Every structure is written in structure tokens, then in C-alpha cells.
Amino acid sequence: MGSISKLANLNPTYSPSTFNPKSCQPTVFLIKGFNGKTVFDQRVSSSRLSLRNNHASWGSLAVRCSNLDGNGSPTKRTVLHDLYEKEGQSPWYDNLCRPVTDLLPLIASGVRGVTSNPAIFQKAISTSNAYNEQFRELVQAGKDIESAYWELVVKDIQDACKLFEPIYNQTDGGDGYVSVEVSPRLADDTVGTVEAAKWLHKVVDRPNVYIKIPATAECVPSIKEVISLGISVNVTLIFSLSRYEAVIDAYLDGLEASGLSDLSRVTSVASFFVSRVDTLVDKMLEKIGTPEALDLRGKAANAQAALAYKLYQKKFSGPRWEALVKKGAKKQRLLWASTSVKNPAYSDTLYVAPLIGPDTVSTMPDQALQAFIDHGAVSRTIDSNVSEAEGIYSALEKLGIDWGYVGTQLELEGVDSFKKSFDSLLDSLQEKANSLKLVSQ
């Protein structure tokens, strides 16, 4: 694979880089590569970054992990551009694998950031040979398996950050982020999470990296501490309104405790999970079995999300917030996560189309992203009928749905799932090391 770092010495001749002042979307240019062939260039570094034709068709924008560099043609304007320019929502991609240059068609299509998690890296590393060369070198250098894992991850994050840095710069740090999560084994370790976040921030060493910290009760204080150190954070695994409010308070407390006179470079997103809520609540409604209960299937997640946005508007207004704004503080944007549809009976844009609103992010895996590009409609929907959302939320409570239980259960499942993915990946790497005869059996 021709990585960004290995291609940095090729230095093709660039046309001046320009940006659409409205969309802040990097312009793609035709250049002559070192081999004399015409390629598409995006001004992200001194590297020759290219697109692969079979990865960039209009009908399918899925990133396919491979061992090769990407080459191909630019993607035409999509609804993702409208999503950002007309409604102020940033579309991000919930996936990452090698080569990261395969992200370029998505960036051209309007994607403005990337999220990753242990499950994503488990799939990327265990199913691809693109990591073998670096992994072999790391183990031969005496790295233990977990240390080698983090070096694989850090390289992917660094390379992806370079791709999105133009968006980060043109939005003055408002967008263009790449997220990397601390070890899921630390979900109940306040101090360990802080130390891991500091370490990741230092080793990635990119202005547009988000350190992901889970919103467990033990890690909410970690969020405050990490923010106070001037480190930008993606708070993940939020499943309830009460925990979301605690996350907002941790962000505000951290900004206030930072002592910084300029808060403009300390930012955050709060990742509020959606589809998993319906997966659990629908099962509970089916157990209740009444017509009223069954009629509420597929409605809980978006109703709670709409109320989360209402809470967001309330918390990021008033004297306390205005005092922080005077120091350059940016709102902690709501990020809709878990946007893929789990129930095939539901619309494939169910967790995207109804959650469109300003100052939000929607991070989408392949399924949701392609569905929305293909037939998604762009309009402000998140607060179009808050009273209906409140009615659904209350109706579910009256039926016996305990929102506190839902949040707690989904958090436990989320943390457990990421731990299993992390442990499985380390096991896979150990087996790979053994198969490469790098580690004694």
C-alpha cells in the first residue's frame, strides 16, 4: 500500500488550492502525477493522493478495504452537500480502513469527518492484509500485541486526519474531525481513561483528532478533566437524556476549569445513539403486546433524539454559555450515532432523515450513507414536531417503558460489545503473529 507518509516525497505540481466559501468543501483538481498520468488531487499534504475508479462510482460510495491505493474519478454533487450547506448538519462516515485514500470519493461526495470504534478496527484489521507489513515490523521490533495494535490504529487516524485537515482549517476547527476511542477496557476507570486520552492525543498529534470517551458514570468526570486539559473529545455511548445532560455539564465544567483565555480550539461532540434504542424498546413493546404498544414500535429512538436536541438548545444558551462564548467556546454538537437500520421493515433512512438540524452531525455507516445519498430528502426535521416527540416519550412511560433501564441496559451492551471486539482483535493479532512465525508458539 502506498501510504500518505510513503508518498510524501513525490511532490507533484499543484494548482492553487481553493475552497467554496459557502460549503467549505475542498475542491478537487486534475494534476499530472509522477508517472505522467492524470489523477485527482485534493490539497491535503504534499502527497499524491488518488482515487480508484472502482471505488468511486455514483451508485456505490462504500469504502472497500484493500491493499492498494485508490484511483478514479471525482464524485458529483450529492445531497450530503445540501445537508451541510442548507441545514447545517455535517455528514460523517462511520468506518475506517486501509488504504485511507479510499475515503477521498466520500470526501468529494460531501462527507466531512470520520468516526471509528473498536468494532470498526476489529473488522478492518482482522479481514485485511493491508496491515501485515507494519504489523510484522512492529512485532519484529519487540512490540507486544496490544502496543502493536495501537500503532496500527494511530497510523490510520493520522493519515485520515490529513485527508480531513482542509475541512478543519476552512471551518476554523468546526469540522473535519477523525475520532479514535480509548481502550474499552477502561470504561469503568476514571483515572485510566484520562491518562489514555492524554496519551492518544499526544501520539496522534493532529489538531483535528477527537478522542472518544464513553459516557459511563465513571467516565463523565474523565470528560471534564480531559476537556479542561484542552483536548477535544467525542463522547460516545449516550443512550439517555439524563446521561446526555451530565455529558453537557462535564463539557461546560471542563471549559470553565481549563483556565484558557481562548477556548476556540477545544471542541466536542456528544454521540447520541439512535437505532439501538428502538431495537431494545421494540422488544419490550412486543412483550406488552397491546395495539397501542405495537403502534409505538420504531418511534422511541427518534422521539428521544428530538428531546435531546431540545435539551441541547436549552443548555447552550443563557448567561453561563454566553460567558464561555466570549472566550471563543464552540457548542458541543449533538452527533447522531447508530444510524443504520436494524429492522428491515423500517425505512433505510429512518435514523437520518428525521434527525436533520443545524449544528448537528450524523455519522453514517455504508448502508445508511448510500441510502441517504440515493433517496434522502434534505429539510430541517429534528424540531419540526417536538410536541409529538414528547407525546411518544410519555406514552412509552405510561406503558411501563423505563427510560432509565433502557439507557443503562444499552450502555452495558455497548461497552460489552466494544470490549469483545477489542479482545477478539487482540486474539486475531496474536494468531496472525503466530502464523507469520513472529512469536514463539
Side-chain angles (χ1 to χ4, degrees), residues 20 23-29 40-42 44 49-52 55-58 61 63 72-82 85 91 93 100-113 163-164 166-167 369 373:
N20 182 324
S23 69
C24 298
Q25 192 68 37
T27 301
V28 178
F29 292 98
F40 289 88
D41 164 64
Q42 186 171 20
V44 297
L49 300 175
S50 54
L51 311 178
R52 183 165 296 280
H55 292 176
S57 65
W58 163 241
L61 289 169
V63 167
S73 57
T75 309
K76 62 183 178 181
R77 183 179 177 85
T78 76
V79 294
L80 300 184
H81 296 101
D82 293 336
E85 293 171 21
Y93 182 52
V100 298
T101 48
D102 282 355
L103 291 170
L104 285 172
L106 295 177
I107 295 174
S109 77
V111 167
R112 305 179 61 80
L163 295 181
F164 286 95
I167 296 174
L369 186 67
I373 288 174

Side-chain angles (χ1 to χ4, degrees), residues 228-250:
S228 75
L229 296 171
I231 298 172
S232 295
V233 174
N234 176 342
V235 184
T236 189
L237 295 178
I238 304 173
F239 297 98
S240 69
L241 295 176
S242 58
R243 185 56 54 84
Y244 174 49
E245 185 165 16
V247 166
I248 297 174
D249 288 337

Side-chain angles (χ1 to χ4, degrees), residues 249-326:
D249 288 337
Y251 177 62
L252 298 175
D253 290 344
L255 291 177
E256 290 169 341
S258 70
L260 296 171
S261 57
D262 179 10
L263 296 171
S264 64
R265 292 297 169 180
V266 188
T267 69
S268 182
V269 291
S271 295
F272 203 98
F273 281 57
V274 195
S275 67
R276 294 188 193 186
V277 173
D278 276 346
T279 299
L280 177 58
V281 173
D282 282 2
K283 291 178 182 177
M284 299 167 73
L285 292 171
E286 286 165 3
K287 283 186 178 180
I288 295 170
T290 64
E292 182 186 8
L294 296 177
D295 187 54
L296 288 171
R297 287 176 297 180
K299 298 179 181 179
N302 285 342
Q304 183 177 230
L307 299 185
Y309 189 74
K310 180 182 178 181
L311 179 59
Y312 160 83
Q313 291 176 308
K314 175 185 175 182
K315 298 288 284 189
F316 289 99
S317 62
R320 183 186 186 189
W321 175 243
E322 291 304 320
L324 290 167
V325 170
K326 290 178 181 177

Side-chain angles (χ1 to χ4, degrees), residues 14-43:
Y14 286 93
S15 304
S17 179
T18 59
F19 290 84
N20 182 324
K22 185 176 181 182
S23 69
C24 298
Q25 192 68 37
T27 301
V28 178
F29 292 98
L30 282 172
I31 64 168
K32 291 293 183 180
F34 73 101
N35 58 1
K37 294 182 180 179
T38 300
V39 296
F40 289 88
D41 164 64
Q42 186 171 20
R43 187 72 176 274

Side-chain angles (χ1 to χ4, degrees), residues 33-280:
F34 73 101
N35 58 1
K37 294 182 180 179
T38 300
V39 296
F40 289 88
D41 164 64
Q42 186 171 20
R43 187 72 176 274
V44 297
S45 72
S46 60
S47 312
R48 179 181 68 84
L49 300 175
S50 54
L51 311 178
R52 183 165 296 280
N53 199 29
N54 61 348
H55 292 176
S57 65
W58 163 241
S60 176
L61 289 169
V63 167
R64 297 171 175 83
C65 298
S66 70
N67 296 318
L68 304 173
D69 291 80
N71 290 308
S73 57
T75 309
K76 62 183 178 181
R77 183 179 177 85
T78 76
V79 294
L80 300 184
H81 296 101
D82 293 336
L83 192 63
Y84 176 72
E85 293 171 21
K86 295 180 179 180
E87 300 301 337
Q89 182 174 80
S90 294
W92 288 7
Y93 182 52
D94 191 30
N95 196 19
L96 184 60
C97 59
R98 292 188 184 181
V100 298
T101 48
D102 282 355
L103 291 170
L104 285 172
L106 295 177
I107 295 174
S109 77
V111 167
R112 305 179 61 80
V114 158
T115 48
S116 69
N117 60 47
I120 285 172
F121 277 116
Q122 192 272 336
K123 181 179 179 181
I125 297 174
S126 64
T127 62
S128 170
N129 292 325
Y131 297 85
N132 284 2
E133 181 181 351
Q134 185 189 3
F135 181 63
R136 179 185 292 107
E137 292 171 355
L138 290 168
V139 178
Q140 286 178 337
K143 298 284 185 180
D144 62 77
I145 297 300
E146 186 168 349
S147 296
Y149 160 79
W150 283 112
E151 294 214 23
L152 298 176
V153 167
V154 166
K155 175 166 176 48
D156 280 8
I157 297 298
Q158 289 175 327
D159 287 355
C161 281
K162 282 192 177 185
L163 295 181
F164 286 95
E165 197 168 358
I167 296 174
Y168 174 84
N169 290 334
Q170 292 298 311
T171 56
D172 193 29
D175 220 346
Y177 286 90
V178 178
S179 298
V180 59
E181 191 161 344
V182 299
S183 169
R185 293 173 174 173
L186 300 172
D188 59 355
D189 185 343
T190 305
V191 175
T193 294
V194 172
E195 293 305 311
K198 288 162 62 177
W199 177 79
L200 265 177
H201 177 73
K202 181 178 180 180
V203 297
V204 174
D205 193 26
R206 296 290 185 272
N208 56 327
V209 65
Y210 268 144
I211 308 303
K212 289 182 79 171
I213 296 176
T216 59
E218 294 85 354
C219 287
V220 169
S222 310
I223 296 162
K224 173 190 173 182
E225 178 67 17
V226 172
I227 290 292
S228 75
L229 296 171
I231 298 172
S232 295
V233 174
N234 176 342
V235 184
T236 189
L237 295 178
I238 304 173
F239 297 98
S240 69
L241 295 176
S242 58
R243 185 56 54 84
Y244 174 49
E245 185 165 16
V247 166
I248 297 174
D249 288 337
Y251 177 62
L252 298 175
D253 290 344
L255 291 177
E256 290 169 341
S258 70
L260 296 171
S261 57
D262 179 10
L263 296 171
S264 64
R265 292 297 169 180
V266 188
T267 69
S268 182
V269 291
S271 295
F272 203 98
F273 281 57
V274 195
S275 67
R276 294 188 193 186
V277 173
D278 276 346
T279 299
L280 177 58

Side-chain angles (χ1 to χ4, degrees), residues 216 237 239 405-418:
T216 59
L237 295 178
F239 297 98
Y405 165 79
V406 170
T408 300
Q409 180 63 26
L410 290 173
E411 179 184 297
L412 289 171
E413 291 177 8
V415 169
D416 184 60
S417 174
F418 284 165

